[in-house]
Amino acid sequence: MNKTVSKVFMAADHRGVGLKLYLIEMLSALGYNVVNLGVDDPNISVDYPDVATTLADAMKDVPDSRGIIICGTGAGVMIAANRYRHIRASRCDNPTQARDDRFHDDTNVLALAADDIDIEVAFLCAQTFLESPFDAIERRIRRVEKIS
């Protein structure tokens, strides 16, 4: 477990509820401080931009936090979350991608596609995302500062 992650904020639209609840259970069991931002009812339609706003607002004043956000495709929540200057979200389909996005781009939000990813692969992506460091060398810091 990465002790430098203070909180893990998790949010999903109605299509991502099942995956979100599974990941909350698994990550909590590993000792992460997971904050469920909703939604928790797959029968109530929620617009993914609203879910991204909720996550971005929660993360704004918690600098050592990370976020995991889920919708059907993963693309909608990623695009919506990236509107916020303090968010660097990437959609990942495998743990290697999650590790590389953290290492190279200091991503702080993992976007997952509930409709397209195996639940165990999603857990491995989340775990890798939370455990992977940013390679804080000068050129990478400079690049991240240009987008943040």
Side-chain angles (χ1 to χ4, degrees):
M1 181 175 85
N2 185 338
K3 300 282 188 202
T4 62
V5 177
S6 61
K7 288 185 181 178
V8 180
F9 293 101
M10 294 197 61
D13 73 359
H14 53 284
R15 289 167 62 189
V17 169
L19 178 57
K20 180 192 64 140
L21 294 175
Y22 171 77
L23 291 176
I24 288 171
E25 179 182 333
M26 298 298 288
L27 295 173
S28 295
L30 290 178
Y32 285 99
N33 180 6
V34 182
V35 179
N36 182 356
L37 300 173
V39 301
D40 292 322
D41 186 344
N43 299 311
I44 299 174
S45 182
V46 177
D47 295 336
Y48 62 83
D50 297 334
V51 172
T53 298
T54 299
L55 182 84
D57 288 348
M59 290 180 66
K60 189 168 183 118
D61 296 321
V62 189
D64 295 329
S65 66
R66 301 247 180 98
I68 299 174
I69 193 164
I70 308 165
C71 71
T73 66
V77 289
M78 179 195 70
I79 293 166
N82 279 323
R83 295 183 312 171
Y84 300 91
R85 291 194 62 78
H86 65 287
I87 299 294
R88 291 172 309 284
S90 67
R91 179 187 182 272
C92 296
D93 298 317
N94 63 71
T96 301
Q97 188 179 22
R99 181 199 67 214
D100 289 351
D101 289 354
R102 282 280 315 132
F103 189 81
H104 293 281
D105 303 311
D106 196 21
T107 54
N108 59 358
V109 173
L110 172 67
L112 295 171
D115 293 351
D116 300 326
I117 195 166
D118 177 83
I119 198 165
E120 292 175 9
V121 173
F123 170 67
L124 292 174
C125 287
Q127 185 177 21
T128 302
F129 166 73
L130 294 171
E131 292 176 357
S132 296
F134 171 52
D135 183 34
I137 60 174
E138 187 270 331
R139 74 173 187 266
R140 292 198 171 108
I141 293 169
R142 181 182 69 243
R143 292 169 183 162
V144 169
E145 287 174 348
K146 288 181 177 185
I147 61 171
S148 296

